[in-house]
Every structure is written in structure tokens, then in C-alpha cells.
Amino acid sequence: MIFAVYKGKKYEVISERPNQTHIISPTPAPGLELVEGGFGSKKLTMYQRVCTDDELDNLYSERIYPLYHGTYYSLSDRARSRGNVFYFELSSSDRIDLEENGFKVIEPLWYIKIVPESEIEGAKIVRTPSPIEKFKDFPIEEELIDKADFHQWILDHPDTTGLCYED
């Protein structure tokens, strides 16, 4: 997911063009306007703003890498919630995962495994700055989440994993 920091607050980015970053929020905030008639096919209440690069404090992508069997894996799909349990579809191109960790072949050199939250040992969050001139020299940030805090972190940051409730 891509995020922008505008006036010190983090927002989801839904589109980018040169010097035009479209941010949204489900709650009102200074500088954001109500989307008339709702947002998306479900007509959700949403607030938006199209910002120039100079208006933004930061612009970056944020990805989560769950720790499973001592290795950080990419997610190949969004995290899913069934009941009160999260499930993660991990992806790998390492044949060892296929042979030793129970991953399944999706296509040549692409393996996946759906893992319940109880088998996740923690996670690493990686924030990579946008290649836009103003932000390209910002540092890459990494945040480690331990197993005890993982469930709450997902609840507090559902946009990072694209959390989907299947109940």
C-alpha cells in the first residue's frame, strides 16, 4: 500500500500523478473535503484531497513481511479474518519452502502457503520512500512487531495488509 503524510497525519493514497497525490480518509480532517454521493460502489462516506508534492510531509509504500519458521515472507494476497483469527497467504520462490515447509506450487518458481496467525512468529514492516525527488532520499524504515503485539498491530493497521473479513 502507498501512504502519504499530510499535516502530520497518515492517509491512504488511491492515485498518483506527477505532483498530484490523491489521499482519502474515512474520517473528517482539516483540508479534506467530503466526497459527495459517497465513495466507491458501496457509496461509503469518505473525505479526500488531491495534494501537490510540496503539501506532503512524506510519501512511501508500506509492506508487511510475516515471520514464519524464522524467515520473513511476502504476502501474496491480503490478510483474511475468519472469526477472530487472521490468515496470511505467504509467497516464496525458494524450493526449500516447497519441500520442507509445506508450500504449494502456484506456477513455476512461485509457491504459497496459507498460515494462521498462531503460526506467525512476528513481522517486519518496511516503509520505502517514494522515488519522487522530494522524498527519494528519505531513509527506508523497518519496524519489527513481536508475536504478542502482532494481532493488535493488524487491527490498528488493516490498510497495510488489505485486511478482509470473511465472516
Side-chain angles (χ1 to χ4, degrees):
M1 295 287 299
I2 299 175
F3 298 97
V5 178
Y6 171 70
K7 294 188 176 185
K9 188 174 175 191
K10 177 180 170 181
Y11 294 96
E12 183 179 346
V13 171
I14 60 168
S15 70
E16 291 179 89
R17 292 196 174 101
N19 205 31
Q20 291 184 342
T21 301
H22 191 170
I23 61 174
I24 59 170
S25 173
T27 57
L32 275 68
E33 298 176 1
L34 177 66
V35 176
E36 294 297 329
F39 185 82
S41 62
K42 294 183 180 177
K43 303 297 183 194
L44 302 172
T45 299
M46 196 65 68
Y47 299 84
Q48 68 177 352
R49 179 176 180 86
V50 177
C51 301
T52 64
D53 295 346
D54 291 338
E55 292 178 289
L56 299 176
D57 303 324
N58 200 351
L59 184 63
Y60 59 94
S61 65
E62 184 172 85
R63 296 200 54 178
I64 186 169
Y65 297 88
L67 181 61
Y68 176 70
H69 288 205
T71 300
Y72 290 104
Y73 288 94
S74 295
L75 292 180
S76 65
D77 197 9
R78 58 184 60 221
R80 301 193 181 280
S81 174
R82 294 182 200 126
N84 195 28
V85 178
F86 297 136
Y87 291 86
F88 302 90
E89 188 174 289
L90 309 179
S91 69
S92 174
S93 60
D94 190 337
R95 188 150 183 88
I96 290 173
D97 288 318
L98 181 66
E99 296 166 354
E100 297 178 11
N101 290 328
F103 280 59
K104 306 290 182 213
V105 175
I106 293 300
E107 56 184 60
L109 297 177
W110 184 25
Y111 318 124
I112 65 163
K113 182 174 185 176
I114 297 173
V115 179
E117 173 186 3
S118 61
E119 295 182 27
I120 300 296
E121 302 156 10
K124 176 171 57 174
I125 312 306
V126 177
R127 295 176 187 94
T128 305
S130 168
I132 294 172
E133 187 66 35
K134 179 178 178 182
F135 309 108
K136 71 177 186 171
D137 293 328
F138 282 31
I140 293 175
E141 297 176 8
E142 291 188 1
E143 175 185 359
L144 296 179
I145 309 297
D146 65 20
K147 184 174 183 79
D149 297 330
F150 188 58
H151 187 89
Q152 188 61 48
W153 195 94
I154 297 297
L155 290 172
D156 293 343
H157 302 86
D159 43 3
T160 299
T161 62
L163 184 59
C164 175
Y165 291 91
E166 294 185 336
D167 301 315

